[in-house]
Amino acid sequence: MRPDDTLKKFPEIQTPRLLIKALSGNDAAALQKLTNHPEITDIVHFLPTPFTILDAQKLITGEDNGRDQFIGVWMHGHDELAAVIGTHLHNECEIEVGYWVYPARQRQGIARESVATLLAKLADIFPERQIIAECRLENQPSWQLLEKLGFKATRDPGRRPERYRFSWKGKIS
């Protein structure tokens, strides 16, 4: 890994509606509140149910090697965390993204806006890496969102159980 090939110092990004920034230890309670819902923990295979403060702290800290970074999404004017985007460097040529949205904030365009913004930033920071995602076939809302964001389903199995790989083509519709 090159010295600049890290997610540790991910920049803060603002859109007219959202603040997008790396989660820190101060965000553990907000992450726990957002994530501790079966609608999330039943879909994201590595999240335990219940999702505790300790789980949130471990997720934020990770292995502290710069290979994984969880990004928080806040709506301007609101204190609560609205969504999370995971970013993960794999090998020397891929970066994976995944996301979940607080159940009360779903279907408000938050995932589309925040992930689209993040994809543009990742493509700028890591131009040599292919951006990928994974999704279960039965998770049609997420599958459709990935396609709107410019991902193409490869139909290859993903790293995670029952998931398929998507490859980002860089054209958001």
Side-chain angles (χ1 to χ4, degrees):
M1 184 168 86
R2 296 185 340 252
D4 61 336
D5 201 18
T6 181
L7 293 163
K8 276 189 177 186
K9 295 183 179 178
F10 200 84
E12 182 177 298
I13 308 167
Q14 300 226 20
T15 71
R17 197 166 70 129
L18 304 174
L19 168 63
I20 304 164
K21 67 180 183 116
L23 292 173
S24 70
N26 296 335
D27 300 316
L31 177 60
Q32 187 274 334
K33 180 181 177 187
L34 175 140
T35 305
N36 190 31
H37 297 275
E39 303 99 301
I40 295 172
T41 58
D42 287 353
I43 292 175
V44 183
H45 85 285
F46 60 85
L47 298 174
T49 302
F51 187 79
T52 67
I53 290 284
L54 182 58
D55 295 322
Q57 291 167 338
K58 286 180 183 177
L59 192 72
I60 290 168
T61 304
E63 294 183 25
D64 198 29
N65 61 7
R67 307 287 297 169
D68 303 290
Q69 180 67 61
F70 286 89
I71 310 293
V73 179
W74 289 264
M75 294 184 73
H76 293 302
H78 298 269
D79 293 332
E80 62 275 345
L81 187 60
V84 173
I85 307 168
T87 55
H88 314 280
L89 298 177
H90 296 306
N91 53 51
E92 297 300 318
C93 58
E94 291 181 340
I95 184 165
E96 180 183 359
V97 298
Y99 50 86
W100 62 92
V101 178
Y102 184 66
R105 293 280 183 200
Q106 292 177 356
R107 313 266 187 275
Q108 296 177 18
I110 293 168
R112 182 177 179 143
E113 182 178 343
S114 61
V115 176
T117 301
L118 186 80
L119 289 171
K121 182 57 79 176
L122 290 173
D124 184 49
I125 296 172
F126 301 102
E128 72 287 351
R129 285 187 178 267
Q130 174 64 53
I131 302 173
I132 63 165
E134 292 186 4
C135 187
R136 287 199 246 174
L137 183 60
E138 57 273 7
N139 189 352
Q140 283 301 298
S142 190
W143 191 287
Q144 292 167 352
L145 176 59
L146 288 170
E147 290 177 337
K148 288 176 186 173
L149 290 168
F151 283 91
K152 178 153 178 58
T154 67
R155 299 295 180 164
D156 294 330
R159 296 173 184 247
R160 292 168 188 82
E162 303 174 18
R163 274 134 178 104
Y164 291 95
R165 281 177 56 96
F166 284 73
S167 180
W168 191 54
K169 301 303 178 188
K171 293 184 180 184
I172 298 171
S173 60

